[in-house]
Amino acid sequence: MHVDVLMHLFIDWSILHFFQIDETVIPLMTDSDLAKYIPKVGDRVSTVAFCRQAALSQESPSRKESILSRLRQRLSGGEGMPPKKRSSKLEGNTNGKHKVRRLEVGWMDYDEDEERYKQVKSANGGGTRHLSVEKDETVADIKVMAENIFFPNGCSKKKKRLSNYSTHMESSQIHINVSNTVDELYNKSKLKMLRLYLCTKMKTGQQPPVGVEDDHTTSQPSEVDLTDQNQAVEYLLVENRNSESTYHHFINDGASTSGNLELDETLPWDGLLTLGEGEDSHAVIFVGEGRLDVTEDEPNLETAIPEKEDDAPSETVDQSLSPPVLAGEADVSAQALSEPQSSPVTLIVRRGHCLTDMINAFKDPKIVASEVCIKMRLPNGELEQGEGSGVLRDCLTEFWMDFYDSCTLGVEVKVPFIRHDFQQEEWQAVARVFVVGWKQAGYFPVKLAVPFLEEVLCDSTTSSFKDSLLLYVSHEERSILEKALEDFNSVDTDELLDVLDAHECKQVPTEDTLLPVLSQIGHKVIIQAPMYVIKCWRPVLVSVASLLPPEGLHHFIAQKKPTAKTVKALLKFPEEMTAAQSTVSRYLKRYIGEIDCKNLQLFLRFCTGSDVLDKAILIVFIETTNFLRRPQSHTCGCVLKLPIGYYSYPDFRSEFNNILTSSMWVMDVV
């Protein structure tokens, strides 16, 4: 009953009339009167306090409104506000201002071909440089700083001399004058970071110095670009380097053009590439679709017309399958490993077109006596930064992989087959790649059938044609033939005849004649079918044949083929390893033991550049973040860098599989 009465009192706001709100709160009802409605003393005290608080909240403003009111007064500058903390006598004081400002400086060089300025990349000595300069420094002062940065001692990274160029400063953000100061430019541009460019342009009448590379190209010094839209590849004949002539003679369809030729002029010419005899000369050949560029260190390049028709490449095929040997071919090949190296040659080969580019470059017989260097061009047109022996091995590996796919038959062993677009010149170019790869990188094409190599190198065969045929045919055909050799009566006769018919067998075999028939078929597909290729290769591979006796060829190839055991034996770990390093080393050995032969070859190529056993692999452990964690390699030194932050073997296996199955590896370390 008392609870009901109290609820009515709270709901009915007339309870507020029990009090009179003024300076003080005075109740109109006495405690005895209120006790009639609220018997308990505590309830009466709470009721009075509640009513007093409600009455005060209605009359006085809230705290929120009070704060907002004070903020409005402060913003409007009303009276009664506290004075500013900063004294008026300090107004205009500039002691706290910075006297130094930061800015960025770049280098842009004028491209005569595109008729515009192009920024020079950091790899060529340009890039963006960050400077801290006084605010009163002028644009002229910044120009002097930029010249000293990009042309230290008056010469750029690419051996360009500052004296041969006219220079001025530009900005892509605002218009500048040489008298503007840095402070004025910042006030004018309202930029957070100002960027200026040192613009250079070759002076009129000046020619790039010999041996100097254009900063916008990635070739070696003094590039001569020969382009013909109607031909896949063109050749430049360079001879008589010590001639006193100062003219360049280029031949085009029988007509000659002579005169003072600028290095950036382009004229087509047809002929055979012949390297010079100068000891100090260095040729850079750009091999690609529609062009072959030759760069020389000597200032005068001359071309000579062949005096005889025999000097030009033969366009006819000898019907007797006995191709004539080019003049000096056998002598050059036989002495290639013993004579001193002639002028070095740098070939720039396109990724994905290694087979055609290398064949076109190796059509010159004298290239086997030169030291060949390789640089790879990416599909986007840029050159890979990597160079050295690792890039050479990687290029040779890619060449032979493309050769196996495009020019051979067979499954586990490969045999070249005759193509209408491969004549004597192309087949001998492949043989020269064989010689240079073996001479400089120790690379040997181990997938070629052993009887085929014996016939090429030794003019005789000692290996079993039956064993090579079983490796030549498909896995399904091999299982049928092996079953027939073990138990002739257990094999399905129709299946056996189908296999033999696929290889043009002309007789029905029996248990006694099956083995001789297989040997005959092996001789046909491995020796007789590629005989023209054998005769083209034999005079070129004389130097290689002298180092590989026929009785040791099979054993030599077996030692070159990778297996899990032999690859593990190549790994060289640090003598002392931490617990984390030991764990990663166990992951690596386990991974090598699990992958198949194809991925094992990819692993070797990732670490050394070559897919055959050659050099020991040095293991180096590194610490990286999880985001940057991945195996790295340096193929020139055969170094494999492994992060130690792997939590489990599946993580390690997944990252290595992603690397080995990637479509392209970029050599980005010089």
Side-chain angles (χ1 to χ4, degrees):
M1 179 178 178
H2 297 295
V3 176
D4 296 337
V5 174
L6 183 59
M7 291 299 296
H8 285 293
L9 290 175
F10 277 103
I11 295 174
D12 190 1
W13 284 96
S14 61
I15 187 83
L16 295 176
H17 296 288
F18 294 161
F19 304 91
Q20 180 180 356
I21 306 302
D22 196 1
E23 298 297 332
T24 59
V25 180
I26 303 174
L28 299 180
M29 294 181 62
T30 62
D31 184 69
S32 58
D33 295 335
L34 189 59
K36 298 177 181 179
Y37 303 99
I38 305 175
K40 293 185 178 181
V41 177
D43 294 340
R44 293 197 298 271
V45 173
S46 299
T47 302
V48 172
F50 172 77
C51 294
R52 183 185 293 113
Q53 184 65 31
L56 290 174
S57 62
Q58 288 185 353
E59 295 296 333
S60 61
S62 63
R63 184 172 179 273
K64 179 178 179 181
E65 293 179 353
S66 176
I67 294 175
L68 291 176
S69 175
R70 293 179 61 189
L71 288 175
R72 293 191 189 99
Q73 292 180 6
R74 183 181 294 274
L75 293 176
S76 62
E79 298 181 358
M81 291 293 103
K84 296 181 179 179
K85 294 182 179 181
R86 183 179 178 87
S87 176
S88 59
K89 66 180 180 180
L90 297 179
E91 294 181 358
N93 187 2
T94 60
N95 293 332
K97 288 187 176 181
H98 293 287
K99 297 182 180 180
V100 177
R101 295 299 300 265
R102 296 189 61 192
L103 55 86
E104 297 176 347
V105 177
W107 177 17
M108 299 187 71
D109 191 26
Y110 188 76
D111 192 332
E112 299 290 347
D113 296 333
E114 300 184 14
E115 297 183 351
R116 67 184 182 92
Y117 284 96
K118 296 177 64 176
Q119 185 173 2
V120 181
K121 297 182 179 181
S122 57
N124 296 326
T128 301
R129 311 298 174 90
H130 301 271
L131 304 180
S132 295
V133 298
E134 299 286 342
K135 292 196 298 184
D136 55 354
E137 296 281 358
T138 62
V139 175
D141 299 329
I142 304 300
K143 175 185 173 184
V144 175
M145 297 180 188
E147 291 175 350
N148 293 331
I149 292 174
F150 298 114
F151 293 86
N153 299 323
C155 188
S156 70
K157 181 180 179 181
K158 296 301 181 181
K159 308 304 180 184
K160 281 189 173 184
R161 295 196 173 275
L162 181 62
S163 58
N164 296 332
Y165 292 84
S166 60
T167 61
H168 67 279
M169 298 298 294
E170 290 290 347
S171 174
S172 60
Q173 300 162 329
I174 57 172
H175 177 70
I176 61 175
N177 295 320
V178 293
S179 59
N180 291 137
T181 63
V182 174
D183 193 34
E184 291 175 352
L185 294 178
Y186 268 105
N187 293 333
K188 181 179 178 181
S189 63
K190 308 299 181 183
L191 292 171
K192 191 173 183 179
M193 180 63 69
L194 183 65
R195 179 187 288 252
L196 302 179
Y197 289 98
L198 175 67
C199 299
T200 59
K201 185 176 182 180
M202 181 72 68
K203 294 180 180 179
T204 305
Q206 295 284 346
Q207 291 194 11
V210 176
V212 175
E213 176 185 6
D214 183 31
D215 286 329
H216 304 304
T217 63
T218 50
S219 64
Q220 296 295 326
S222 300
E223 174 184 345
V224 180
D225 186 2
L226 305 180
T227 306
D228 187 354
Q229 301 296 334
N230 298 325
Q231 295 182 0
V233 176
E234 298 178 343
Y235 308 96
L236 176 65
L237 179 61
V238 182
E239 292 183 350
N240 302 328
R241 296 192 201 291
N242 298 325
S243 174
E244 298 179 356
S245 174
T246 59
Y247 296 98
H248 299 70
H249 303 279
F250 291 86
I251 312 302
N252 182 16
D253 298 333
S256 64
T257 303
S258 62
N260 294 325
L261 179 65
E262 299 289 345
L263 291 179
D264 57 353
E265 292 185 6
T266 300
L267 292 176
W269 184 88
D270 294 333
L272 178 65
L273 171 66
T274 303
L275 299 176
E277 304 297 336
E279 294 181 356
D280 298 331
S281 61
H282 181 84
V284 180
I285 305 177
F286 293 80
V287 187
E289 183 178 355
R291 56 179 277 175
L292 182 143
D293 309 334
V294 177
T295 303
E296 296 293 336
D297 287 344
E298 296 297 330
N300 297 329
L301 303 178
E302 291 192 3
T303 60
I305 306 175
E307 297 179 356
K308 301 178 181 179
E309 294 182 357
D310 296 339
D311 295 336
S314 176
E315 297 182 358
T316 60
V317 179
D318 193 349
Q319 301 298 330
S320 63
L321 296 180
S322 299
V325 181
L326 294 179
E329 177 75 54
D331 297 337
V332 172
S333 300
Q335 301 175 4
L337 300 179
S338 59
E339 290 185 351
Q341 298 293 325
S342 63
S343 58
V345 179
T346 299
L347 303 179
I348 299 185
V349 183
R350 297 171 297 166
R351 284 280 183 194
H353 300 271
C354 188
L355 178 65
T356 56
D357 291 353
M358 291 282 282
I359 288 177
N360 290 324
F362 277 76
K363 289 181 178 179
D364 179 21
K366 293 184 179 180
I367 198 171
V368 296
S370 302
E371 181 182 356
V372 178
C373 302
I374 298 292
K375 289 185 71 68
M376 303 300 292
R377 187 182 296 278
L378 296 173
N380 60 4
E382 297 181 357
L383 282 181
E384 291 182 356
Q385 297 181 12
E387 55 183 297
S389 59
V391 180
L392 174 61
R393 290 193 295 268
D394 183 75
C395 181
L396 292 171
T397 302
E398 182 176 342
F399 170 84
W400 286 107
M401 289 178 63
D402 293 345
F403 180 80
Y404 295 148
D405 293 338
S406 303
C407 304
T408 63
L409 298 174
V411 180
E412 293 192 13
V413 297
K414 305 292 183 178
V415 177
F417 74 96
I418 302 301
R419 294 175 44 149
H420 70 89
D421 54 342
F422 270 53
Q423 302 300 320
Q424 172 192 340
E425 193 177 21
E426 284 76 17
W427 287 118
Q428 290 187 339
V430 175
R432 295 186 193 106
V433 177
F434 193 140
V435 174
V436 172
W438 169 247
K439 177 181 65 174
Q440 293 189 212
Y443 188 92
F444 197 89
V446 295
K447 285 190 176 182
L448 293 177
V450 175
F452 171 81
L453 290 173
E454 290 176 344
E455 186 69 26
V456 172
L457 299 175
C458 310
D459 200 10
S460 62
T461 57
T462 58
S463 300
S464 170
F465 288 104
K466 183 263 297 181
D467 295 339
S468 298
L469 178 64
L470 293 178
L471 297 175
Y472 176 86
V473 299
S474 65
H475 296 284
E476 182 180 359
E477 292 177 341
R478 185 193 311 170
S479 62
I480 296 174
L481 294 177
E482 290 177 345
K483 186 177 181 180
L485 291 172
E486 294 176 0
D487 186 1
F488 186 83
N489 296 324
S490 64
V491 71
D492 189 340
T493 305
D494 292 337
E495 291 181 352
L496 178 60
L497 293 178
D498 289 341
V499 172
L500 298 177
D501 183 65
H503 298 282
E504 300 178 356
C505 180
K506 303 302 182 182
Q507 69 182 70
V508 178
T510 63
E511 185 176 2
D512 297 330
T513 61
L514 178 61
L515 183 59
V517 166
L518 294 181
S519 298
Q520 295 169 4
I521 295 176
H523 186 273
K524 181 183 75 72
V525 299
I526 297 175
I527 301 298
Q528 298 177 27
M531 181 53 67
Y532 180 76
V533 180
I534 293 174
K535 292 187 177 182
C536 287
W537 282 19
R538 189 173 288 160
V540 183
L541 297 179
V542 173
S543 57
V544 178
S546 62
L547 301 177
L548 297 174
E551 61 273 5
L553 184 59
H554 190 280
H555 179 66
F556 172 77
I557 293 178
Q559 289 181 331
K560 283 286 186 178
K561 290 183 178 181
T563 62
K565 181 179 180 180
T566 54
V567 173
K568 290 180 182 179
L570 294 179
L571 303 179
K572 301 298 181 183
F573 293 96
E575 295 182 358
E576 297 181 0
M577 294 186 292
T578 63
Q581 293 173 351
S582 300
T583 301
V584 176
S585 66
R586 290 196 300 270
Y587 290 164
L588 178 61
K589 293 179 181 179
R590 180 178 176 182
Y591 179 77
I592 293 175
E594 290 182 357
I595 58 179
D596 56 12
C597 182
K598 181 179 180 180
N599 285 331
L600 201 59
Q601 293 174 353
L602 291 176
F603 174 82
L604 278 178
R605 183 183 178 187
F606 176 74
C607 297
T608 66
S610 173
D611 60 350
V612 297
L613 295 175
D614 186 19
K615 298 179 179 295
I617 302 173
L618 179 63
I619 307 299
V620 177
F621 296 99
I622 58 176
E623 295 184 4
T624 61
T625 61
N626 290 336
F627 180 76
L628 298 176
R629 188 186 67 185
R630 68 186 185 281
Q632 306 172 23
S633 66
H634 299 287
T635 56
C636 291
C638 300
V639 178
L640 176 61
K641 294 184 176 181
L642 295 177
I644 60 175
Y646 291 103
Y647 301 107
S648 63
Y649 172 70
D651 292 340
F652 179 88
R653 179 181 58 193
S654 175
E655 290 192 5
F656 237 117
N657 285 338
N658 291 336
I659 291 176
L660 298 185
T661 56
S662 104
S663 58
M664 181 177 296
W665 299 329
V666 177
M667 306 290 183
D668 58 354
V669 178
V670 180

